[in-house]
């Protein structure tokens, strides 16, 4: 399932992202690249292979993908592994974490950051995934009878 967002919806979601991952954005050119909050160490994150490892171990029911240029976005139920744009953010819908992929991959980025309420939000993600899996298993048991 993929739902494309309008430019207005992208603007709203980008504003939310900035409030969910607050940082001192002064003098770091975040209008050019949102991920500068991580490369300038204004918000705690891990980068490079550590970021990729963190991203690969996180799952969610739905993901929000936002282009850095703030004009494209989508919601999907599949964790993005490739996107046709070079600078973008991926977050679960509840903002538990964010993955910032950059055009500077290997030099600057990618970056993985946890929300300040990560533990609570990630627990909610896991509960949702468990419920989805339990419902799928129950449905499958019903078919096999």
């Amino acid at each position: 399932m993929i739902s494309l967002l309008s430019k207005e919806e992208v603007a709203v979601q980008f504003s939310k992202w900035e409030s969910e991952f607050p940082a001192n954005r002064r003098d770091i050119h975040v209008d050019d690249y949102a991920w500068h909050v991580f490369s300038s160490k204004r918000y705690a994150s891990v980068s490079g292979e550590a970021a990729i490892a963190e991203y690969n171990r996180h799952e969610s029911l739905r993901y929000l993908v936002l282009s850095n240029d703030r004009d494209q976005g989508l919601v999907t139920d599949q964790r993005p592994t490739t996107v046709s744009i070079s600078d973008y953010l991926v977050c679960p819908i509840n903002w538990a974490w964010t993955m910032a992929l950059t055009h500077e991959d290997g030099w600057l980025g990618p970056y993985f950051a946890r929300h300040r309420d990560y533990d609570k939000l990630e627990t909610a993600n896991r509960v949702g995934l468990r419920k989805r899996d339990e419902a799928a298993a129950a449905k499958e048991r019903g078919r096999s009878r």
Side-chain angles (χ1 to χ4, degrees), residues 79-137:
R79 183 178 52 214
T81 55
T82 59
V83 175
S84 63
I85 50 180
S86 62
D87 290 277
Y88 61 98
L89 305 168
V90 177
C91 309
I93 294 299
N94 74 349
W95 308 101
W97 48 265
T98 189
M99 180 71 164
L101 292 112
T102 77
H103 69 278
E104 302 284 1
D105 190 20
W107 181 50
L108 294 173
Y111 298 96
F112 183 93
R114 294 178 175 197
H115 189 279
R116 61 191 175 275
D117 293 326
Y118 170 82
D119 291 335
K120 178 177 80 170
L121 295 169
E122 187 58 19
T123 296
N125 282 338
R126 291 181 186 180
V127 166
L129 289 165
R130 188 177 69 242
K131 286 181 179 180
R132 178 203 62 196
D133 294 346
E134 289 169 353

Side-chain angles (χ1 to χ4, degrees), residues 28-131:
I28 58 171
H29 307 290
V30 291
D31 289 339
D32 296 330
Y33 299 106
W35 51 264
H36 280 178
V37 299
F38 307 124
S39 64
S40 66
K41 305 208 183 309
R42 304 283 177 97
Y43 193 96
S45 65
V46 295
S47 64
E49 293 297 321
I52 293 167
E54 281 293 304
Y55 183 62
N56 287 337
R57 71 176 201 83
H58 283 81
E59 288 186 66
S60 182
L61 291 174
R62 293 185 304 151
Y63 302 88
L64 175 64
V65 180
L66 299 171
S67 66
N68 184 78
D69 60 14
R70 296 163 173 84
D71 72 348
Q72 299 176 62
L74 61 91
V75 176
T76 179
D77 59 356
Q78 300 294 312
R79 183 178 52 214
T81 55
T82 59
V83 175
S84 63
I85 50 180
S86 62
D87 290 277
Y88 61 98
L89 305 168
V90 177
C91 309
I93 294 299
N94 74 349
W95 308 101
W97 48 265
T98 189
M99 180 71 164
L101 292 112
T102 77
H103 69 278
E104 302 284 1
D105 190 20
W107 181 50
L108 294 173
Y111 298 96
F112 183 93
R114 294 178 175 197
H115 189 279
R116 61 191 175 275
D117 293 326
Y118 170 82
D119 291 335
K120 178 177 80 170
L121 295 169
E122 187 58 19
T123 296
N125 282 338
R126 291 181 186 180
V127 166
L129 289 165
R130 188 177 69 242
K131 286 181 179 180

